[in-house]
Amino acid sequence: TIKTDIHIRNLVSEIQELRDQVWSRPNQLTNTQIQITRVNREERFVDWLDTLPFPLASVLWAYNAARGNIRLQYDYLDHFFEALAEFLATLLLSGFVNNEELFSTERGEIGRILNVNHLSLEMSTFGTWVKICERLSKQAREMTNSQERSKCKQMFYTSDDDVLQAFLSSRLIGILQDTNSLRNEWRGHGGVASDQLVRERDVILQNHLNRVRGCFGDVFTRYQLIMPHDMKLREGMFQINAYSLMGTRTPFESAELSTNAPLETDRLYMIGQEERSALKLLPFFKIKASPASAQNACYFYNRKQKDGLRFISYHFDVQAEIIESSLDTLQAINHIQWDLENNGKGVTL
């Protein structure tokens, strides 16, 4: 049956993940053994969600909670891959922005690729973010396989090879490409899909999700999403109090860390487990309380409109979209595509 097939796929993915942990992190063998004893239990998937950044975990939690409603589950899983593409593209763009000389070349190439494919940042789609991921991950992988490896690590503020390998993986890009192609094919047929067809598509996306899980494993436990809310300078180091934006639970836990440079309050950063510097993310997704609720939600940038920038939530149905002026996001868009619109006169982030 379909449910049995999904369960088997999940088990295979989990076993592969645990096998990789045994070889890559033998010093954590005791912890891995504990996980092995739980591999056939329902909460394994939920446990994995708690290792993911909130913008991704929240969508998959909504997917998990919709169990029994196949159409709603399918919608959430479909949305997850678009969220993943934008999250990954934001991470890659944020790293390349740290090397302005390199980025001045890359943004011109990004503009060319988007134009050729009739895509844009002003009206972003799943395909927009996938194309950005394709280009930048390829360039970063080439750096990691050359004498520029240390430069690549500096761009993303991580010395962890596993972290770089996970989000620069050609396998991960292939999953996004496959999912985007399937979505275009499925939506191109038009009409209302039958329940049976929705189930079949959900099984395919489940397989893609298992492949994503194989790429990521638990690397985001060592490269986490944070939002600073308080900072003090003490003995030359910045003592940061930040929200740890990981997993599915809100309100977020607070974490203490030390950095050698100040971090902006209410901005999003990625920071490695043993690092003293953090990667400031471009503001293409935001964590905030919904205007209609005190509950925290993640909103992803979608497009420019006459009345502002449209942000959408893939997990929060109380208010699934908001319109904001968001000058910081607009500035980031201009910074990326200035070659095409401003005749070489860029803006500084």
Side-chain angles (χ1 to χ4, degrees), residues 292-318:
S293 167
Q295 185 176 346
N296 285 314
C298 181
Y299 288 92
F300 286 83
Y301 164 73
N302 178 247
R303 64 171 180 254
K304 288 174 65 175
Q305 299 183 167
K306 290 182 179 179
D307 55 346
L309 301 188
R310 180 176 183 250
F311 288 78
I312 58 177
S313 176
Y314 295 117
H315 73 99
F316 189 69
D317 57 7
V318 174

Side-chain angles (χ1 to χ4, degrees), residues 17 25 48 51-53 56 80 84 87-88 162-163 166-168 171-172 211-220 222:
E17 176 188 332
R25 291 184 289 280
W48 178 62
T51 73
L52 296 177
L56 304 180
F80 166 75
L84 175 60
F87 182 91
L88 183 60
D162 289 344
V163 167
F167 69 78
L168 298 180
R171 287 174 54 209
L172 184 59
R211 292 165 61 197
V212 169
R213 186 172 176 179
C215 290
F216 283 159
D218 66 351
V219 296
F220 283 115
R222 309 198 304 276

Side-chain angles (χ1 to χ4, degrees), residues 280-300:
K280 183 169 74 171
L281 296 177
L282 295 177
F284 288 119
F285 57 86
K286 301 185 177 187
I287 312 292
K288 59 197 312 174
S290 160
S293 167
Q295 185 176 346
N296 285 314
C298 181
Y299 288 92
F300 286 83

